Amino acid sequence: GMRQRVVIALALAAEPKLIVADEPTTALDVSIQAQIIQLLRRLCREKGTAVMLVTHDMGVIAETADRVAVMYAGRIAEIGPVQDVIKRPNHPYTIGLMGAIPTMGVKVERLTQINGSMPRLNAIPKGCAFNPRCPKAFDRCFAERPEPMQAGQSKAACWLVRDPAHV
């Protein structure tokens, strides 16, 4: 935890406009994580610095971010305001991620599972990269790669946004 604080202080000493923090809370206990995130938020607010967090920790994202980009196979699957993406995901991958997070006080038999595995970056399928794992894939998903398109406050790279008849 102390090392992370020192690295943050060093990064902010140069008064950058942007800090890219790659997994800044990995391998820290929850209380130290919270301290690091609070320190980062406070110092950046005081200095007017933007932070790009790269993390797999949805709790950190929900607690700290204003906007989130969910990536799959090296591309943005969904992007938008963090609360919108977390509470109303549009891309099937984001829906799967959110469904795999346990909710306090809610008893479920089994958490959501995303079947299959990530493709190797040198073997991404034609069309939407998520199509082999997507429970809602239809013909267009296997033929054309979607670009992010408006879906409420967010954008999702999914043909279901344009063609909800397949939902």
Side-chain angles (χ1 to χ4, degrees), residues 46-104:
E46 290 171 5
K47 300 283 186 185
T49 302
V51 177
M52 178 188 298
L53 283 174
V54 179
T55 184
H56 293 88
D57 189 329
M58 293 308 291
V60 168
I61 292 167
E63 189 67 30
T64 61
D66 298 319
R67 295 181 52 78
V68 63
V70 176
M71 297 187 70
Y72 184 82
R75 295 181 56 101
I76 292 177
E78 187 161 355
I79 187 169
V82 71
Q83 290 304 316
D84 196 55
V85 172
I86 288 173
K87 294 195 184 317
R88 291 174 296 286
N90 290 288
H91 193 282
Y93 178 63
T94 311
I95 292 167
L97 287 178
M98 296 304 111
I101 299 170
T103 305
M104 295 291 290

Side-chain angles (χ1 to χ4, degrees), residues 136 138 160-161 163-167:
K136 297 181 179 186
F138 59 102
L160 293 171
V161 171
D163 194 354
H166 291 92
V167 173

Side-chain angles (χ1 to χ4, degrees), residues 1-10 12 19 31-47 51 64:
M2 192 55 71
R3 282 189 214 140
Q4 269 91 338
R5 288 181 182 93
V6 170
V7 170
I8 290 167
L10 287 171
L12 289 169
I19 292 176
S31 63
I32 301 296
Q33 278 185 0
Q35 290 173 17
I36 295 295
I37 294 301
Q38 286 298 92
L39 174 68
L40 200 53
R41 290 175 76 188
R42 181 177 55 81
L43 292 174
C44 290
R45 185 174 54 248
E46 290 171 5
K47 300 283 186 185
V51 177
T64 61

Side-chain angles (χ1 to χ4, degrees), residues 115-127:
N115 292 324
S117 58
M118 289 278 295
R120 292 186 322 274
L121 293 181
N122 64 353
I124 294 175
K126 185 176 178 184

Side-chain angles (χ1 to χ4, degrees), residues 103-117:
T103 305
M104 295 291 290
V106 177
K107 185 174 180 155
V108 293
E109 286 293 316
R110 189 178 174 131
L111 294 174
T112 301
Q113 177 179 323
I114 300 173
N115 292 324
S117 58

